[in-house]
Amino acid sequence: MSSELTTDRRGFLKTVAAASAVAEAGFAGNPPRAMGRKIKVGHIGCGNVAMNAYVPNMAACPYIELVSTCDIISSRADYIAKKHGIPNCFYNIDKMLAGPPFDLLVNTTSMPAHFEVNLAALEAGRNVWGEKPCALRVSEYKELLEMAKRKGVQIWPAPTVVTSPQFKFMAETIASGKLGKIHNAHAIYGHEGNLWSRWFYQKGGGCMYDLGVYNVGTLTGLLGPAKSVVAM
């Protein structure tokens, strides 16, 4: 870690803790809307995460209007559209982006497809919420950011660990100096293995992209950006 980042660590932590508190308090009492109306959402990727979490929550949210859903497996898209009353159903992202307009694309496709889907949506002038990771390579992340800037839209990647109450507590505790200077941190998170998708065991899948991002996101949020990475 460079001396510049180390000497400003406490200020960094206080800023992160404050931002987390603002997000928690502000959104809880006054969730954001797009120009005073519901946020129109187009959703893509109708697998387990979408069926069991994303789509039911979005459908029940009073601040969201689900405009479209999409999946390359037509039966999945049809099922979710019918179950949650989504008026437009597509099996191809290009047709979805050319269809009824929406403000935000929520991308819950499989990890190896994230970059391609996110890039297409940004290029079409849509804001994007992307499940983790938004891309598999640093160069691809840069391309997404450059496209978003060029098109005047935003991209947000999961996970949102830095907005959790637990993160807020940890950040405030470290910033207070009660723990002294932090020299080491350890994180663990996992499961017995993905049994529902082959891509987990293929290139672009795996535990780091699926689960490790939570630990990496939390630790870099608390301690600052990583300067080097070592694998064993």
Side-chain angles (χ1 to χ4, degrees), residues 121-138:
L122 293 172
E123 193 168 14
R126 301 302 204 284
N127 297 290
V128 172
W129 167 265
E131 252 301 342
K132 39 76 179 173
C134 276
L136 299 178
R137 300 172 181 83
V138 173

Side-chain angles (χ1 to χ4, degrees), residues 134-203:
C134 276
L136 299 178
R137 300 172 181 83
V138 173
S139 60
E140 292 176 344
Y141 260 100
K142 289 181 178 179
E143 189 173 349
L144 292 175
L145 294 175
E146 289 168 359
M147 179 63 73
K149 184 177 181 180
R150 190 156 62 245
K151 293 292 182 176
V153 293
Q154 304 290 330
I155 180 169
W156 297 271
T160 57
V161 289
V162 297
T163 64
S164 71
Q166 294 87 348
F167 181 90
K168 177 175 177 287
F169 171 78
M170 290 188 287
E172 288 176 341
T173 302
I174 295 173
S176 71
K178 293 177 181 178
L179 302 179
K181 186 176 180 179
I182 305 299
H183 292 276
N184 183 62
H186 175 74
I188 185 169
Y189 179 39
H191 55 54
E192 295 179 349
N194 187 319
L195 302 176
W196 58 86
S197 295
R198 287 178 296 177
W199 55 259
F200 184 87
Y201 300 98
Q202 298 171 348
K203 185 177 180 179

Side-chain angles (χ1 to χ4, degrees), residues 102-113:
F102 53 87
D103 309 303
L104 175 71
L105 177 82
V106 173
N107 180 5
T108 59
T109 60
S110 61
M111 289 187 292

